[in-house]
Amino acid sequence: MAGWWRELLRTVRRYPWPTNVLLYAALFSAGDALQQRLRGGPADWRQTRHVATVAVAFHANFNYVWLRLLERALPGRAPRAVLAKVLCDQAFGGPVYVSAFYFEWSDVLAFCTADQLQPRSCSLENSLHWALWFSVGHFPLLFTTGW
C-alpha cells in the first residue's frame, strides 16, 4: 500500500496543474450532485456533466493560474497580504468567475444602456440581477436584466 501512495504523491507534486484541475472538477461535480440529492429530486447527470465540463474547461484552469499570479504578486501570509489577495480576488477574479456561468446567456443578460433604463420591481424575474449584484459585491453590475 505504501508503494502506490508514494508514487501517487510523487505524481501529484510533479504535475500540480492537472492534479488541481481534476480535483477541482471532481469537487465541483460532487457539489452539484449533492445539491441535487439534497433537493430531493432525481439526479440530473446531464447537468452534472455540464458542471464538470465548465469546471475542467474554465474554472479550474483559471483558479490555478489566477491564484498563482496573486501569490507571486502579493507574497506572504501576513494578515495584510491575505487581505490584499482577498480584495484583489473579489475585485478582479469574481466578475470573471460569474461571467463564465452566464456566458451563453447573452439573450437573458441583455444589459440596457442609460437611456433604456426603466424602474422595475424587484420580482422573481429580476432575481438574476440580484444574484449578480450579491456575488460580485461592490462592483456596479446593477443593470436591469431583459427577459
Side-chain angles (χ1 to χ4, degrees):
M1 181 173 156
W4 68 267
W5 185 254
R6 271 194 304 263
E7 186 63 31
L8 178 67
L9 290 178
R10 189 173 68 86
T11 305
V12 166
R13 286 187 192 109
R14 189 171 181 190
Y15 304 106
W17 191 334
T19 301
N20 281 309
V21 167
L22 292 175
L23 181 62
Y24 190 91
L27 291 173
F28 216 62
S29 303
D32 179 66
L34 181 63
Q35 180 185 16
Q36 291 177 23
R37 177 104 177 162
L38 291 175
R39 286 186 175 170
D44 185 2
W45 296 112
R46 183 172 182 237
Q47 176 186 333
T48 304
R49 187 175 62 244
H50 286 266
V51 167
T53 302
V54 170
V56 168
F58 174 74
H59 281 285
N61 292 299
F62 181 77
N63 270 337
Y64 184 81
V65 172
W66 173 244
L67 294 177
R68 282 182 56 114
L69 178 74
L70 276 180
E71 188 59 43
R72 288 184 181 173
L74 304 166
R77 293 183 180 172
R80 180 179 237 168
V82 171
L83 181 62
K85 290 176 198 176
V86 168
L87 289 175
C88 284
D89 187 45
Q90 290 299 305
F92 302 110
V96 176
Y97 294 140
V98 171
S99 66
F101 280 113
Y102 302 112
F103 181 69
E104 293 183 12
W105 290 20
S106 59
D107 56 332
V108 174
L109 294 176
F111 292 127
C112 300
T113 61
D115 61 315
Q116 294 173 322
L117 290 176
Q118 299 172 2
R120 297 182 186 216
S121 65
C122 295
S123 64
L124 182 61
E125 298 162 7
N126 289 331
S127 63
L128 180 61
H129 155 76
W130 292 110
L132 282 172
W133 169 248
F134 287 122
S135 63
V136 296
H138 63 278
F139 262 76
L141 282 178
L142 285 175
F143 300 108
T144 58
T145 55
W147 293 92

